[in-house]
Amino acid sequence: MDQITTLVIGAGQAGLAMSRCLSAFGVEHEVVERGQVAERWRTQSWDSLNLLTPNWMTRLPGFHYEGGDPDGFMSVPDLIALFDRYSAQSSAPIISGTSVVSVEPADSGFRVITDRGTWLADSVVVATGYCDLPAVPGSSRGLPASITQLVPANYRRPAQLPPGGVLIVGASSTGVQLADEIQQSGRQVTLAVGRHLRLPRRHRGRDVLWWLDELGVLNQPAETVHSIEISRHQPSLQLVGKPDHSSLDVGLLQDRGVRLVGRVLGITRYEVALADDLIANTAAADVKMAEVLTRIDRYITRTGFPAEDPEPFRPTWPAALDTPERLNLKSEGIETVIWATGYRRAYPWLRVPVLDDSGEIMQAGGFTPRFGLYVLGMNFQSRRNSSFIDGVGADAWTIAEQIARSIAGVRVA
Ligand SMILES: Cc1cc2nc3c(=O)[nH]c(=O)nc-3n(C[C@H](O)[C@H](O)[C@H](O)COP(=O)(O)OP(=O)(O)OC[C@H]3O[C@@H](n4cnc5c(N)ncnc54)[C@H](O)[C@@H]3O)c2cc1C
């Protein structure tokens, strides 16, 4: 059995950032990864995926983007290469190809059992990802076996799909990107639109994320929002990282031939029951977008910040005010359903009593109720951007400092 001060589980951006910060504090540690560095990006991305955050937002502890295209959007192969370089430059002590199968309390810390040996660690940082597992509604079980079902993690390209139409459930960042790509490949896409956050890619001459960064919206602290639970369950921003900096929203998809319908309520074999909420959801997204853009406009007026004139606001008008209450997959020729319905987490290996009733790790700023056990990379962990590449570093510094102090015997309140 090996003894270690700190064991980090997972070598995605969170685990790598954590390792960099622990090294800076001189804390002995190892990073255990079941695959390779950036495993999630290597094995669960579709071919055309680019980051939706501009390159200048690729900031990690001890690293910021210095390439020639700060406003561009990185492809996944380039991102993986970047994480490989970052890991090498940090001399991150990564033990790859090793899965953690159990973490349990031990006398002075934790016993961590992996499929390649056991560790005794004074502290453990769980960095296994916010987007760990697909959150697929139970209604998916109502579909017959003849319908192909996919989640974004196992979608690669349109050619992999069987012939016929495609129903995509969910219109956040992933759903709208897949709907656009598959419709453009020549298939008829039907998009079931739930709650979503519409944003234009650019506003007043700059990337919309540049404005939100400038306004401090992206690193807004968790304690300053009205309800952290509501904020943590917001849908992802409806943005796409295209070389031409174009926007993508459900109105544009409709112009390109995608059929918009309401939220999926239930499924009985080929019959899909739909909510009558398409207009309500698109109108709510338009209002929210108008609020965000108005906030930016007010900032420009107040500060005199140089900016272009605003573009005219284009409301979303569903083609039919009377959207269908039912969809028959057979008569519509739909052979594939893609569940772009978000992510969940599961910690069957975590045998420390820190999980709440819904199975999430109880935490405040990454500190769990069990001293020495931390989590990193959760949505809105301490700030809005905690699960983003750009935001995970601040949380990693805080946790590394706490671990360093606990070694020195100083417990941070
Ligand atoms: C489609 C998509 C697009 C995104 N686009 C952006 C973007 O443009 N910009 C941005 O900032 N963020 C983006 N994100 C959000 C975020 O950056 C990613 O989810 C990112 O992968 C999170 O990094 P992480 O290190 O927290 O988790 P992960 O990358 O999920 O890493 C967790 C690691 O833990 C390992 N692991 C899990 N369980 C175990 C175990 N039991 N034992 C050992 N190892 C284990 C996994 O193999 C994995 O390598 C996107 C997310 C998704 C899903």
Side-chain angles (χ1 to χ4, degrees):
M1 194 180 313
D2 290 314
Q3 199 108 22
I4 190 86
T5 304
T6 303
L7 204 76
V8 180
I9 309 174
Q13 72 212 20
L16 295 178
M18 194 66 230
S19 173
R20 180 78 169 223
C21 298
L22 288 170
S23 293
F25 280 105
V27 177
E28 175 211 31
H29 67 281
E30 302 277 4
V31 182
V32 181
E33 165 57 53
R34 64 182 170 192
Q36 303 175 58
V37 163
E39 180 67 19
R40 195 84 67 188
W41 295 105
R42 286 177 205 271
T43 56
Q44 298 188 4
S45 304
W46 59 97
D47 294 351
S48 65
L49 175 63
N50 286 342
L51 285 186
L52 56 83
T53 45
N55 290 332
W56 59 263
M57 276 182 75
T58 307
R59 298 180 282 212
L60 286 163
F63 173 88
H64 64 271
Y65 178 85
E66 288 180 312
D69 186 18
D71 296 324
F73 303 99
M74 211 173 289
S75 69
V76 170
D78 286 349
L79 182 67
I80 294 167
L82 184 150
F83 283 138
D84 278 336
R85 282 198 306 278
Y86 181 65
S87 165
Q89 282 161 10
S90 310
S91 304
I94 294 167
I95 305 173
S96 52
T98 304
S99 292
V100 169
V101 294
S102 158
V103 176
E104 55 194 38
D107 289 348
S108 61
F110 305 91
R111 184 178 297 105
V112 181
I113 302 174
T114 74
D115 56 1
R116 292 176 61 193
T118 298
W119 300 82
L120 270 184
D122 296 329
S123 49
V124 169
V125 182
V126 177
T128 50
Y130 181 74
C131 301
D132 185 18
L133 297 166
V136 178
S139 54
S140 64
R141 290 193 285 275
L143 283 168
S146 58
I147 298 288
T148 299
Q149 296 192 55
L150 288 176
V151 292
N154 51 32
Y155 169 80
R156 295 291 171 274
R157 62 197 74 89
Q160 108 194 58
L161 306 178
V166 179
L167 169 65
I168 298 178
V169 186
S172 287
S173 175
T174 296
V176 294
Q177 289 185 54
L178 301 195
D180 195 29
E181 167 165 297
I182 296 169
Q183 180 74 26
Q184 290 197 36
S185 78
R187 288 156 200 271
Q188 178 59 53
V189 171
T190 303
L191 182 63
V193 179
R195 219 160 50 87
H196 57 279
L197 288 176
R198 181 183 172 204
L199 272 187
R201 181 72 263 181
R202 292 178 68 78
H203 181 64
R204 312 282 307 258
R206 289 180 185 272
D207 194 280
V208 74
L209 292 181
W210 188 92
W211 289 115
L212 297 185
D213 190 57
E214 176 71 16
L215 264 71
V217 172
L218 298 178
N219 62 6
Q220 181 182 7
E223 58 272 18
T224 65
V225 298
H226 178 61
S227 159
I228 188 62
E229 278 316 305
I230 292 176
S231 296
R232 282 187 177 143
H233 290 98
Q234 291 282 342
S236 64
L237 300 175
Q238 214 179 48
L239 287 173
V240 57
K242 288 260 172 88
D244 63 359
H245 300 260
S246 53
S247 301
L248 187 59
D249 56 45
V250 295
L252 289 163
L253 286 172
Q254 182 175 254
D255 294 348
R256 292 172 196 170
V258 171
R259 180 186 185 197
L260 307 181
V261 297
R263 205 162 33 92
V264 169
L265 291 177
I267 301 177
T268 314
R269 290 193 55 73
Y270 295 99
E271 279 291 308
V272 179
L274 300 166
D276 180 20
D277 59 359
L278 178 62
I279 292 172
N281 278 329
T282 51
D286 283 0
V287 169
K288 185 76 197 160
M289 175 167 119
E291 277 172 18
V292 173
L293 300 186
T294 303
R295 196 168 158 190
I296 296 172
D297 293 345
R298 286 204 182 119
Y299 176 79
I300 292 169
T301 308
R302 198 172 66 246
T303 58
F305 213 96
E308 292 177 5
D309 289 339
E311 299 260 328
F313 186 81
R314 183 181 184 268
T316 313
W317 287 115
L321 291 181
D322 195 12
T323 54
E325 285 174 15
R326 310 199 85 74
L327 191 68
N328 186 287
L329 300 180
K330 212 166 208 171
S331 58
E332 298 288 339
I334 293 174
E335 300 287 343
T336 305
V337 175
I338 302 181
W339 298 98
T341 36
Y343 296 90
R344 66 185 177 89
R345 293 136 299 285
Y347 306 96
W349 41 266
L350 188 54
R351 301 191 182 132
V352 185
V354 294
L355 300 181
D356 67 16
D357 291 345
S358 61
E360 298 283 357
I361 296 178
M362 291 181 275
Q363 56 91 17
F367 292 51
T368 75
R370 171 80 188 204
F371 183 69
L373 183 66
Y374 307 92
V375 62
L376 185 61
M378 293 295 102
N379 194 22
F380 231 133
Q381 178 165 312
S382 67
R383 294 175 194 78
R384 192 183 297 281
N385 60 3
S386 284
S387 60
F388 286 18
I389 297 167
D390 193 30
V392 74
D395 292 342
W397 280 120
T398 308
I399 294 170
E401 184 182 358
Q402 162 66 25
I403 292 173
R405 286 192 189 205
S406 63
I407 295 169
V410 185
R411 200 164 162 162
V412 178

